[in-house]
Amino acid sequence: MRRAIYPGTFDPFTYGHIDVLERALNIFDEITLVVAVNSQKKPLFTIEERVEMIQQSVASYSHVQVERFEGGLLIEHAKAMGVKAIIRGLRQVADFEYEFQIALMNRHLYPEITTVFLMPNEKYTYLTSSIIREVASLGGDVSDFVPPPVLKFLEHRFNHQTK
Ligand code: COA
């Protein structure tokens, strides 16, 4: 059984993340989406809200789990779970330096776990959660980029229709 985790802040979860998840499911038997804390970010949605919107968004997928992870090193969590791989999406060159730093540090901390980078479809190359938050907050239509449950959370948060 090949198991991997796909960690991220997912604030919010987008079709770009789903694209990476689907690619990962072609390689691994089971993926756990780990909603984690990035100490550099102040999220719009609470960790509970992010877990909820992701659970609703991936409800139709088999072999996908969603869990939260706060206060600790992700690599220690991965080790405790017994997974051998960490999935990360790589969209463009700009992602590379940051991802390289995290992957190398994680490998230094625990060499048995490998970070696997997957490229989402080109149409998501310039998609980020920040841009979704900004456009949705100003009333723009983001329905091409986020699954319906996430759209509902955004509408509720910004109190207007985003479509
Ligand atoms: N499609 C669209 N957007 C994507 C994407 C894809 N396929 N893949 C990544 N992104 C975007 C995200 O939307 C996000 O955009 P934003 O910065 O505008 O919010 C950005 O790229 C990356 O965010 P995300 O993938 O959600 O995760 P992150 O980089 O915030 O996550 C953690 C980093 C949580 C994995 C990392 O901080 C961590 O491991 N934390 C735990 C503590 C720890 O162990 N720290 C030591 C690390 S060495």
Side-chain angles (χ1 to χ4, degrees):
M1 182 94 166
R2 289 175 176 270
R3 293 160 59 231
I5 58 168
Y6 178 14
T9 306
F10 304 126
D11 185 43
F13 193 60
T14 69
Y15 281 139
H17 295 124
I18 290 185
D19 184 290
V20 169
L21 172 69
E22 287 177 352
R23 289 170 202 280
L25 284 168
N26 287 331
I27 307 172
F28 294 92
D29 301 312
E30 189 181 285
I31 304 289
T32 302
L33 286 154
V34 177
V35 185
V37 174
N38 180 338
S39 55
Q40 310 297 316
K41 292 183 177 172
K42 204 174 171 299
L44 171 68
F45 293 106
T46 65
I47 200 158
E48 290 81 8
E49 288 171 323
R50 283 177 277 144
V51 167
E52 180 64 32
M53 71 174 77
I54 296 171
Q55 270 168 345
Q56 290 179 18
S57 303
V58 301
S60 62
Y61 289 77
S62 313
H63 311 293
V64 176
Q65 265 131 41
V66 187
E67 62 165 44
R68 55 191 270 179
F69 174 65
E70 290 170 280
L73 278 176
L74 182 78
I75 196 73
E76 289 296 339
H77 185 60
K79 190 172 147 186
M81 287 177 73
V83 297
K84 290 279 177 278
I86 296 174
I87 306 292
R88 292 288 288 168
L90 207 53
R91 294 159 300 165
Q92 43 177 317
V93 179
D95 285 345
F96 187 76
E97 205 171 333
Y98 168 67
E99 293 297 339
F100 205 60
Q101 283 172 4
I102 297 182
L104 286 183
M105 179 53 78
N106 282 335
R107 192 166 74 184
H108 172 80
L109 293 170
Y110 193 65
E112 284 80 355
I113 296 179
T114 302
T115 300
V116 177
F117 293 109
L118 296 174
M119 280 183 298
N121 189 299
E122 308 81 80
K123 65 185 175 195
Y124 301 125
T125 298
Y126 294 101
L127 181 60
T128 67
S129 295
S130 308
I131 207 127
I132 293 296
R133 292 195 300 273
E134 164 138 18
V135 173
S137 75
L138 298 171
D141 179 5
V142 293
S143 59
D144 283 344
F145 303 108
V146 299
V150 174
L151 201 61
K152 285 242 160 37
F153 272 85
L154 287 166
E155 284 169 2
H156 187 254
R157 175 55 49 95
F158 296 119
N159 211 11
H160 50 59
Q161 294 285 316
T162 56
K163 189 182 169 185

